[in-house]
Amino acid sequence: PKNEWLWLAATRQERAADPSGVDPEAIKAADALLSKGLQECPASGALWAEAVKMAPRPQRKAKSVDALKRCDNDPRIIASIANLFRQDRKVDKARSWFNRSCTIDPDIGDHWAAYYRFESQHGGDVAAAAVAKRCREADPKHGELWQRVGKRVENWHDDAETLLKKCVAEMGAGEA
């Protein structure tokens, strides 16, 4: 199928088959599905962002360069690269890349949540409040986590800033 979201779901399903993350067969199967998906949908930012996230640590930089060559200004790839900088504790670079991903497509709430969490951890209350204000003004409607949280009945009438904080609370330690 030429649908990036089906390929992404299939890849994640294969990875979820091995919750420990050490079964080489499950990793190979997920990599194979992702490679097929990238062949079918070579300009998919979502698949490239997943490829960057799934790559072994030494290969992530090269994979992110490939992703940027294929889909230059895709906000999902840019947010994925920002997350790599966050993991490497390159705070200034991570901040600029998170800002760039939120500026390119302000409608993706997941990126706002990752940016807010980053600023809460590394920038302080003033920087986090500035991100929350910008998020409230952008009023995002998309993103996997954002929609999952926003469509719960108890959150139907929440504003963007409240949803932002609920998304950050739900983010796992490695998710962004």
Side-chain angles (χ1 to χ4, degrees):
K2 291 194 180 252
N3 185 328
E4 63 184 316
W5 301 108
L6 289 177
W7 284 111
L8 186 62
T11 301
R12 288 180 178 169
Q13 185 69 33
E14 280 296 329
R15 246 192 15 224
D18 176 36
S20 65
V22 293
D23 181 18
E25 294 302 316
I27 294 170
K28 282 182 189 175
D31 282 341
L33 275 174
L34 186 60
S35 294
K36 285 181 188 175
L38 286 170
Q39 287 173 356
E40 291 281 326
C41 309
S44 166
L47 288 177
W48 277 108
E50 190 73 11
V52 169
K53 190 164 56 168
M54 280 179 56
R57 189 159 186 83
Q59 297 171 4
R60 287 184 183 158
K61 183 177 180 184
K63 192 65 91 169
S64 64
V65 168
D66 290 343
L68 279 174
K69 283 181 186 173
R70 294 290 181 120
C71 319
D72 186 26
N73 269 330
D74 190 284
R76 288 174 180 85
I77 293 171
I78 291 172
S80 180
I81 293 170
N83 197 40
L84 291 181
F85 285 132
R86 181 188 62 82
Q87 290 170 351
D88 291 342
R89 300 197 193 309
K90 296 180 179 176
V91 175
D92 292 334
K93 282 188 174 185
R95 179 174 290 119
S96 70
W97 283 77
F98 275 125
N99 186 38
R100 184 174 163 198
S101 78
C102 290
T103 303
I104 289 172
D105 191 352
D107 200 40
I108 301 177
D110 292 4
H111 300 170
W112 286 107
Y115 190 17
Y116 180 79
R117 184 178 83 174
F118 170 79
E119 288 296 356
S120 296
Q121 292 171 344
H122 300 287
D125 294 338
V126 175
V131 171
K133 180 180 182 281
R134 284 181 55 205
C135 177
R136 188 175 54 248
E137 291 167 359
D139 195 25
K141 301 287 184 213
H142 296 95
E144 294 176 60
L145 178 64
W146 189 268
Q147 287 185 336
R148 188 170 61 235
V149 171
K151 290 190 177 194
R152 292 188 189 133
V153 176
E154 66 268 16
N155 299 336
W156 279 0
H157 298 293
D158 288 347
D159 64 338
E161 191 171 347
T162 307
L163 284 177
L164 178 74
K165 291 176 181 170
K166 288 182 179 182
C167 284
V168 169
E170 267 198 38
M171 283 182 158
E175 188 182 336

